[in-house]
Amino acid sequence: MATMNLFRLGRTSCAGAKLLSRQPVAFRSFSGLALRASTASSSSALCPRNQELVQKRGYVSRAATNIWVNERRLSYVLLAALPAGLIMPGNMLIDLTIGLALPLHVHFGVHQVGLDYIHSDIGHRIFGITLPLLTGLAILSCFYFNITDIGISAAFIKFWKAL
């Protein structure tokens, strides 16, 4: 919140460039897209890369908001499934839910870390290919373990008792 207030006041911005305008940036929502509805003087509030996107495409995508909402929903599923798996170990439905939700939860987290810390285009391409493949492999491995062996929750309890 404090960062957004500093950003709006013009004290800091993307890549360290100063903002020329102290006016809030106005957006209008239209069929899933946020259309730019401000003057040219306040367009300097965008980072140079985002400015190019707005000028080229005429909108700013709301995909990040949708991903954030899906991450929260997935966290709620895990919040219910993990204790349920400890209460009822060996339940196939709960184990399959954990086997799907846990790798997806890790995928979303690692994806955000990769977006923050990988800066080259080739790095993004490699990361964009390998992360979904590894996530799919993890989901398939969890399903295989749940179907052919004792299941994730029973294995966790067995491991915990062995300690």
Side-chain angles (χ1 to χ4, degrees), residues 62-76 108:
R62 298 180 80 181
T65 303
N66 294 335
I67 290 172
W68 186 84
V69 169
N70 290 334
E71 287 174 359
R72 299 288 79 76
R73 290 177 182 158
L74 193 60
S75 296
Y76 295 142
F108 284 139

Side-chain angles (χ1 to χ4, degrees), residues 74-85:
L74 193 60
S75 296
Y76 295 142
V77 167
L78 281 173
L79 193 62
L82 290 175

Side-chain angles (χ1 to χ4, degrees), residues 23-29 34-40 42-43 54 58-59:
Q23 300 171 352
V25 180
F27 290 93
R28 288 187 192 153
S29 179
L35 296 177
R36 188 100 171 131
S38 59
T39 62
S42 66
S43 68
V54 170
Y59 66 89

